[in-house]
Amino acid sequence: MNVTSINNPAAAIGTPAEIPLAPAARKDQHTLIHAVKAINASGILGEENELTFVVERGSRLAVARIVNKETREVVEQIPAEYVLRMAEEINRG
């Protein structure tokens, strides 16, 4: 399971890793990590897939992905890639 950006959200968005999380954010982060681990352990996504969460660099939005464990191919993503690109353009504007 890929929780890199969950464990270090600052690194996922290209900001210094020293940014401290507020206590409420730490609790939410901890809850999310456990939920992702539980979903992946349940096998509900199939043995070949896993749920991952990342913070997309361009838009800085949280992204949920179902990824093939072997090929690392994104099977499904929420929000969709076109939504992330629109958000990125809005942020630039």
Side-chain angles (χ1 to χ4, degrees), residues 49-77:
N49 296 323
E50 68 181 357
L51 178 64
T52 65
F53 278 87
V54 296
V55 176
E56 204 274 336
R57 288 178 186 249
S59 64
R60 294 189 174 182
L61 293 173
V63 178
R65 293 180 178 147
I66 298 174
V67 178
N68 181 288
K69 291 179 190 178
E70 187 176 317
T71 66
R72 305 311 301 164
E73 176 186 355
V74 176
V75 176
E76 186 71 39
Q77 175 176 302

Side-chain angles (χ1 to χ4, degrees), residues 5-80:
S5 47
I6 295 172
N7 289 331
N8 188 358
I13 58 174
T15 57
E18 302 84 44
I19 297 174
L21 290 175
R26 284 182 193 260
K27 183 178 179 191
D28 289 346
Q29 179 182 20
H30 183 72
T31 302
L32 179 59
I33 290 169
H34 283 288
V36 169
K37 286 181 179 181
I39 289 168
N40 288 334
S42 75
I44 196 167
L45 301 174
E47 291 299 316
E48 68 281 355
N49 296 323
E50 68 181 357
L51 178 64
T52 65
F53 278 87
V54 296
V55 176
E56 204 274 336
R57 288 178 186 249
S59 64
R60 294 189 174 182
L61 293 173
V63 178
R65 293 180 178 147
I66 298 174
V67 178
N68 181 288
K69 291 179 190 178
E70 187 176 317
T71 66
R72 305 311 301 164
E73 176 186 355
V74 176
V75 176
E76 186 71 39
Q77 175 176 302
I78 300 172

